[in-house]
Amino acid sequence: MVMPVQARLNGELSHRLDDGIAAAAISFSGGLVLITLIAAFSPPLRAALRTLGGAARDRRLPRRYLLAGVLGGTFSLAQSTAALATGIAVFTVSVIAGQTLGGLTVDA
């Protein structure tokens, strides 16, 4: 339910800045600030974040998890640039259709 709201906000920010990359960077910066505030008050989350770097270096963290982070940034960039051009509803339906086809492919 939140994805259309995020797409609208990122699309509008992209339109006002006239730069999709800057809009995506601001979106991710906001997320970073939010997770930093949450981590400041959550000892278990702080402990998990401390082990993350070592797990990536020691290859205990699968590389596909790191790829997922990159793809999340790509998705945010797509929201910032395509959502206003195509419309929020069309963008959301396209994302859901892509996820459904991907899931069917993996299940097959």
Side-chain angles (χ1 to χ4, degrees):
M1 277 178 36
V2 178
M3 189 178 69
V5 174
Q6 182 184 13
R8 175 69 180 147
L9 292 174
N10 285 348
E12 185 64 30
L13 184 59
S14 172
H15 176 70
R16 290 181 186 241
L17 295 176
D18 199 27
D19 186 0
I21 294 174
I26 290 171
S27 176
F28 264 73
S29 297
L32 177 64
V33 168
L34 183 63
I35 197 69
T36 301
L37 287 173
I38 292 170
F41 298 104
S42 173
L45 182 57
R46 282 196 310 269
L49 289 172
R50 279 193 296 271
T51 63
L52 189 61
R57 275 191 305 276
D58 299 341
R59 301 204 180 206
R60 289 179 286 135
L61 181 69
R63 295 287 181 202
R64 66 181 175 271
Y65 291 0
L66 300 175
L67 177 63
V70 172
L71 293 178
T74 304
F75 179 78
S76 181
L77 178 60
Q79 274 185 333
S80 299
T81 56
L84 274 185
T86 62
I88 303 302
V90 172
F91 179 80
T92 303
V93 168
S94 299
V95 168
I96 293 170
Q99 289 175 336
T100 302
L101 288 174
L104 289 171
T105 302
V106 169
D107 286 347

